[in-house]
């Protein structure tokens, strides 16, 4: 497998992605601290490598599901920063038109089926996506991001098992950041590693250093190939750490400052930059350029987001998709103009899809 | 090196302000990003404020014990770290977009959005067919009082029968007995103004709350000042004067013949003056009012006011409402004078050019809908007058005479009287005399 | 039993559901069925008998006992362009899958600002009367009707089952389709051939009568119709209204029919407290219709108790025909 640090293009891409995630999360952190953001935010500072390395192994037409800590995944899968920021600022121009917030950002046109506010909520959905992609006869893959906490949910067990017995093209990526909110991973299972659970489903399981973007990328590339070839799912455990509290209400009572500090010494972005410099693929200026571009992109995103209009107040009209077989419901919210690309979400368009259902199924 | 403000951070979803308990780093201290610089208390929870960047804590901006709102500065930090969002953040918005919440479910569409039936809806009238709306408590009361709901007129919207209606049906005499069993049309009924009672149960997604509550089926037309006044006066009249109605049928043939002959004879003398049937009626009424002082009265609360002069108003329909110009001292004026004046008043009324002197002060009103082919109607008294005459069209009818059956033109006159000021017998006598006069039209000018 | 005349055949409720599924799958490759024992076994109630042979194992998918994954997979598949029809073997088991149904399926369209919808159907065999006892006999339509974003359909006869299932599959929203177990074999009737959908949100009025209005759902509709015949013998004529779709509810038809008689009896199998008929009662009393009432709104519902095993107790737990007759007579005389 190719070395990311050894390829200028890859290195730039990796740096751009990781720095964009880092800066985006820092911006969110600052804005929240100033009281500019409503609700709560779950930041993934420190976990940039797992999102970046995994998504780099995917094609544009592959799909992902994400978690409540999903900004990094969304960005790594190509989300528009301005629309993300607009959503966090609860504007109509946001991905969810101001109705979803941080935990429900999705970009269906880019294969992102959404962050999820329910722990393990996205895992069955990824399995369903894999099922659809297989039934449609494609070689597309579904990748599910989840945390160590999710592995305790029944939904994890049922979903991994289902994907295993049906050889579905799914890659399960567990970002083990050691804590399910406040409960450390050692306390929730007798297994040393989350990846050991894979054996219980008869599928391959692999543990990697989640802060080593190369390691994550290698594992993901192999798992994606397995899935594409029709040989079923893999469980990847990426060991990482989150610098910030679980959410903005987290007082970090369950871990020590020393622990947090020690992980910050192992900053995944830092490590990759070192690797790139050592390989002499890029120089300090290139790296600074990547940082600056990320900073500028995030600043633009904030400006864009802030200029968005408030959302429509018609809530009742936004509950159901428009339907041709419902005599009562009048839906006022149609899909945004640019969403719903056929490859990623064929059945989603409202009226047209319903009308097309009879006789004109588009199985690619 | 630049100086940045360290704000009191929002450390939880609900935090709005924090109390600075203790400074952990002092002015001048070197700090690293993430170092705890202060302890704060919010919502009874102790939390730590971290330095946002590496640098020197130059100044404290708040003292221990201060309560600082989220976003307000507590310290200044000198740092070389890059300022990620400097200069592009807008002011704190608090609940950004939070108010979108309320507009959803709770907003009731305004009453007009419900299918407001027009006055023509059959169930507006207390019809014998179909169910009638009765307040649930009204039914109970009707049972208690032994009232047959079918005989109760509902005064609520859409003819809703209320408890008070049931009670008054049990006690007082019926206020509006239909005359002669014939359906009575009203010139203008106050009943139509009630909107639907519905509390509009929140319909499924169709309701667009707030915006455009009046749907595509209803257009709002603001009331003209005239219509407002008319509406008010009519309500006043119906609510204070107990109306009592008397109808006679007048053989119009003599009157029409008289009018034709009169106009023929007037033609060479009076340029274009044509006396109308209405002019004849107005004059006849005036003469009779002079002869019947009991009818030329107003109800004065605790007394009866007898007017010494006779001023007859003529109801004229104009754009946007109704006006009643008055022919003063109509009994004193000749028929042609009355006709000429009436013609001018009506002309001015229709052109919207009535002067203040033209209206008001009447002691009786004549309202004629004959030109619309209306056979008969009951008019609303023009307060403070005590009576109003409603004139229907003169229409050919088969009539039994001594010689068999003839077709003759007849018209119906309905007199509405204020029962406080006039009793039935008085009204009946007046109406009878009017009939006789009109059927012997020379008496009008005699 | 099928006899075909011009455009109509006689089918049982189960056959009607199967007919709709079959027609939908033939017309649209995106439709597939998943659930426990629905393939080889033909479904716990025989609804999907023969479909495995006809469509193959890819589209008629037997699953492990994993309700959350079944419904979740349906959500994911729907997001990616398929039209899954998931079956919960007994409606009671949906409790396992509530996160995927309530927190995911129901909310995606709204939470994602209309970016993508979830065109899926979850079929729920439900109801009591088979001796299956407390955990296999419930009627929990109120749970789903109370969840914004779901549509809830409860057909009472084979023709409606077929037409409404077609609509449910065509609808781009998640639809909970509730099939009373007792109806599968015992209800049969004329069913139109062809795959015309019956629109959601339209109530049916299978019987007209001027003395009182009975609103009933599910198996209570046929019980109400039977009761109405008996009432007619006593000179009491009842209108029977079958909402068919609980969400969105054809409130207008119901209110109109209540106004016409001034007396209303609401009949559900589900337990009384917090049941769906409470919603209909509220719609009556919060509207003009209340002014037409000549007696209080009457509800007949299941007991606020789990369904017992003993057959007599089981019957006594939910409204039966004599209960409806009795309640209707009392209602006719009240007020």
């Amino acid at each position: 497998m190719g070395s990311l640090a050894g390829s200028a293009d890859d290195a730039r891409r990796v740096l751009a992605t990781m720095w964009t995630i880092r800066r985006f999360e820092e911006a969110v952190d600052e804005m929240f601290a100033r009281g500019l953001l409503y609700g709560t935010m779950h930041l993934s500072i420190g976990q940039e490598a797992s999102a970046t390395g995994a998504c780099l192994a995917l094609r544009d037409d592959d799909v992902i599901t994400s978690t409540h800590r999903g900004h990094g995944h969304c960005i790594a899968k190509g989300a528009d920063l301005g629309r993300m920021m607009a959503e966090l600022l609860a504007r109509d121009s946001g991905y969810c038109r101001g109705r979803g917030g941080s935990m429900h950002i999705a970009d269906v046109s880019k294969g992102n089926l959404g962050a999820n506010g329910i722990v393990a909520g996205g895992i069955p959905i990824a399995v369903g996506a894999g099922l659809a992609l297989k039934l449609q006869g494609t070689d597309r893959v579904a990748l599910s991001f989840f945390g160590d906490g999710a592995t305790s949910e029944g939904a994890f067990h049922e979903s991994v098992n289902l994907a295993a017995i049906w050889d579905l093209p799914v890659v399960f990526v567990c970002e083990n950041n050691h804590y399910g909110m406040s409960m450390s991973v050692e306390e929730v299972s007798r297994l040393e590693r989350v990846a050991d659970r894979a054996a219980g489903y008869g599928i391959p399981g692999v543990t990697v250093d989640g802060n080593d973007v190369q390691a994550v990328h290698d594992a993901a590339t192999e798992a994606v190939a397995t899935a594409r070839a029709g040989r079923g799912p893999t469980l990847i455990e990426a060991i990482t750490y989150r610098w910030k509290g679980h959410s903005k209400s987290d007082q970090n009572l369950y871990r020590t400052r020393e622990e947090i500090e020690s992980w910050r010494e192992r900053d995944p972005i830092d490590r990759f930059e070192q690797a790139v410099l050592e390989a002499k693929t890029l120089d300090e200026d290139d790296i600074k350029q990547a940082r600056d571009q990320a900073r500028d992109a995030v600043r633009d995103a904030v400006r864009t987001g802030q200029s968005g209009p408030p959302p429509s107040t018609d809530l009742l009209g936004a509950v159901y998709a428009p339907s041709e077989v419902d005599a009562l419901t009048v839906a006022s919210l149609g899909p945004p103009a640019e969403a719903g690309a056929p490859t990623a979400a064929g059945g989603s368009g409202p009226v047209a899809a319903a009308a097309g259902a009879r006789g004109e199924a588009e199985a690619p | 090196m630049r100086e940045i403000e360290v704000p009191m951070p929002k450390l939880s979803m609900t935090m709005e302000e924090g109390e600075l308990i203790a400074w952990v780093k002092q002015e001048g201290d070197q700090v690293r990003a993430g170092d705890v610089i202060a302890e704060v208390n919010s919502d009874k929870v102790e939390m730590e404020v971290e330095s946002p960047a590496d640098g020197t804590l130059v100044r404290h901006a708040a003292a221990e014990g201060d309560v600082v709102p989220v976003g307000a500065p507590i310290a200044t930090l000198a740092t070389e770290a890059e300022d990620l969002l400097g200069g592009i953040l807008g002011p704190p918005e608090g609940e950004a977009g939070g108010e979108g919440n309320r507009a959803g479910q709770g907003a009731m569409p305004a009453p007009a959005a419900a299918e407001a039936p027009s006055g023509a809806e059959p169930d507006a009238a207390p019809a014998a067919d179909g169910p009638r709306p009765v307040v649930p408590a009204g039914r109970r009361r009707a049972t208690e009082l032994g009232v047959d709901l079918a005989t109760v007129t509902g005064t609520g919207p859409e003819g809703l029968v209320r408890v008070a209606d049931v009670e008054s049906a049990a006690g007082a005499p019926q206020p509006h007995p239909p005359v002669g069993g014939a359906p009575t049309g009203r010139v203008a009924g106050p009943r139509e103004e009630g909107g639907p009672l519905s509390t509009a149960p929140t319909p499924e997604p169709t309701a667009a709350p707030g915006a455009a509550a009046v749907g595509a089926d209803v257009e709002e037309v603001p009331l003209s000042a005239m219509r407002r006044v008319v509406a008010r006066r009519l309500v006043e009249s119906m609510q204070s004067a107990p109306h009592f109605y008397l109808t006679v049928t007048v053989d119009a043939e003599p009157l029409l013949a008289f009018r034709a002959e009169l106009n023929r004879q007037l033609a060479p003398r009076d340029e274009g003056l044509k006396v109308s049937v209405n002019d004849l009626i107005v004059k006849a009424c005036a003469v009779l009012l002079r002869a019947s002082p009991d009818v030329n009265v107003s109800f004065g609360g605790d007394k009866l006011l007898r007017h010494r002069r006779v001023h007859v108003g003529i109801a004229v329909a104009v754009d946007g409402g109704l006006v009643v110009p008055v022919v003063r001292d109509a009994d004193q004026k000749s028929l042609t004078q009355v006709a000429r004046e009436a013609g001018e008043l009506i002309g001015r009324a229709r052109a919207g050019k009535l002067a203040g002197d033209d209206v008001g002060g009447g002691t009786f009103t004549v309202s004629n809908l004959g030109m619309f082919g209306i056979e008969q109607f009951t008019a609303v008294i023009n307060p403070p007058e005590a009576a109003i005459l409603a004139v229907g069209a003169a229409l050919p009818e088969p009539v039994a005479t001594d010689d068999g059956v003839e077709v003759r033109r007849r018209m119906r006159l309905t007199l509405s009287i204020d029962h406080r000021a006039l009793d039935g017998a008085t009204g009946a006598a007046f109406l009878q005399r009017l009939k006789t006069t009109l059927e012997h039209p020379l008496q009008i000018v005699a | 039993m099928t006899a075909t005349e011009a455009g109509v055949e006689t089918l049982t409720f189960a056959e009607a559901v199967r007919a709709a599924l079959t027609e939908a799958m033939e017309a649209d490759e995106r439709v597939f069925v998943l659930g426990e024992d629905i393939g080889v076994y033909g479904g716990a109630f025989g609804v999907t008998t023969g479909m495995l042979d006809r469509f193959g194992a890819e589209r008629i998918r037997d699953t492990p006992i994993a309700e959350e994954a079944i419904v979740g997979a349906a959500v994911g598949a729907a997001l990616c362009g398929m039209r899954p029809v998931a079956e919960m073997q007994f409606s009671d088991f949906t409790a396992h899958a509530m996160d995927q149904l309530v927190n995911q399926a129901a909310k995606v369209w709204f939470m994602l600002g209309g970016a993508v919808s979830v065109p899926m159907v979850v079929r729920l065999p439900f109801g009591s009367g088979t001796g299956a006892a407390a955990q296999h006999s419930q009627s929990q339509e109120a749970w789903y009707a109370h969840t914004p974003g779901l549509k809830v359909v409860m057909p009472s006869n084979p023709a409606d089952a077929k037409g409404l299932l077609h609509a449910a599959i065509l609808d781009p929203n998640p639809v909970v389709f509730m099939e009373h177990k007792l109806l599968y074999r015992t209800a049969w009737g004329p069913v139109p051939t062809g795959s015309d959908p019956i629109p959601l949100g339209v109530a049916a009025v299978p019987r007209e009568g001027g003395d009182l209005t009975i609103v009933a759902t599910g198996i209570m509709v046929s019980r109400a119709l039977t009761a109405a015949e008996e009432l007619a013998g006593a000179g009491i004529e009842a209108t029977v209204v079958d909402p068919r779709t609980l969400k969105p509810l054809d409130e207008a038809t119901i209110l109109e029919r209540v106004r016409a008689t001034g007396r209303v009896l609401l009949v559900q199998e589900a337990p009384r407290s917090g049941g769906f008929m409470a919603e209909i009662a509220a719609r009556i009393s919060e509207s003009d219709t209340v002014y037409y009432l000549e007696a209080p709104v009457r509800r007949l519902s299941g007991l606020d108790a789990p369904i017992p095993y003993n057959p007599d107790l089981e019957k006594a737990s939910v409204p039966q025909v004599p209960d409806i007759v009795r309640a209707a007579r009392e209602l006719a005389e009240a007020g």
Side-chain angles (χ1 to χ4, degrees), chain B residues 174-177 179 186 236-248 285 289 292-299 304 363-366 377-390 413-434:
Chain B
Q174 294 292 330
H176 307 293
V179 176
R186 296 248 166 89
E236 201 184 288
S237 176
M238 289 306 277
Q239 283 183 345
S240 33
H243 280 48
F244 187 82
Y245 308 101
L246 302 145
T247 305
V248 286
C285 287
L289 284 166
S292 323
D294 283 349
V295 182
N296 200 41
V297 298
S298 291
F299 184 69
L304 219 50
T363 61
F364 186 86
T365 300
V366 175
F377 66 104
T378 55
V380 180
I381 295 168
N382 208 4
E385 296 166 21
I388 182 170
L389 184 74
L413 309 180
T414 303
L415 185 71
S416 310
I417 62 174
D418 179 348
H419 214 309
R420 301 169 299 177
L422 298 170
D423 50 39
T426 312
F430 178 85
L431 199 56
Q432 186 59 39
R433 281 202 290 279
L434 181 61

Side-chain angles (χ1 to χ4, degrees), chain B residues 165-189:
Chain B
D165 300 325
V166 173
E167 287 176 351
S168 72
Q174 294 292 330
H176 307 293
V179 176
T184 57
R186 296 248 166 89
V187 168

Side-chain angles (χ1 to χ4, degrees), chain C residues 39-233:
Chain C
V40 171
Y41 195 80
F45 301 96
V47 173
T48 46
T49 303
M51 291 185 73
L52 177 63
D53 288 340
R54 189 155 184 174
F55 294 103
E58 290 286 292
R59 296 179 73 195
I60 303 289
R61 292 205 158 228
D62 276 327
T63 67
I65 303 174
E67 285 79 11
E68 175 112 60
I70 292 169
V71 176
V75 174
L79 290 177
C80 288
M82 304 300 285
R83 298 218 157 213
V85 178
E87 179 183 297
M88 299 281 94
Q89 192 168 81
F90 281 79
S91 68
D92 319 63
F93 306 161
T94 315
H96 281 296
M98 286 304 263
D99 178 75
Q100 287 297 325
L101 186 57
V102 167
N103 289 330
Q104 312 296 338
K107 295 185 169 45
V108 165
W109 175 260
F110 182 91
M111 281 194 313
L112 268 47
V116 62
S117 76
V118 187
M120 61 184 264
V121 178
V122 183
R123 293 179 40 245
L124 306 185
F126 80 101
S128 71
T130 60
Q135 297 170 330
H136 294 71
S137 306
Q138 294 170 88
S139 302
Q140 294 156 321
E141 63 273 16
W143 290 5
Y144 312 115
H146 190 60
T147 304
L150 295 180
K151 297 192 181 178
V152 183
V153 178
M154 189 186 290
S156 66
N157 60 74
D160 286 352
K162 184 170 175 217
L164 289 169
L165 185 52
H166 273 304
I169 293 172
L170 286 170
D171 196 296
N173 297 282
V175 180
V176 175
F177 195 83
M178 306 195 61
E179 305 165 3
H180 198 291
K181 307 187 196 63
L182 284 184
L183 293 176
Y184 281 139
R185 298 243 190 283
T186 65
W188 70 86
V191 177
T193 57
S195 47
D196 289 337
I198 293 177
L200 306 184
V202 180
V205 185
R207 192 181 195 282
E208 309 256 5
D211 296 319
L212 68 130
T213 304
I214 305 177
V215 184
T217 51
I219 202 169
M220 295 299 153
V221 176
S222 54
R223 287 187 195 167
L225 289 169
T226 305
E229 288 311 307
E230 201 179 309
L231 289 164

Side-chain angles (χ1 to χ4, degrees), chain B residues 130-148:
Chain B
R132 3 186 14 240
V134 179
V135 171
R139 294 188 185 274
R140 178 179 47 80
R141 204 78 184 96
T143 308
E144 286 171 17
L145 296 173
V147 170
D148 177 2

Side-chain angles (χ1 to χ4, degrees), chain A residues 33 39 248 257 295 299 306, chain B residues 10-11 48 82 84 88 90:
Chain A
K248 298 317 276 169
R257 294 211 163 265
R295 177 203 62 202
R299 289 171 64 89
Q306 284 187 322
Chain B
K10 187 171 178 184
L11 292 169
E48 295 168 332
E82 174 159 59
L84 181 56
I88 61 173

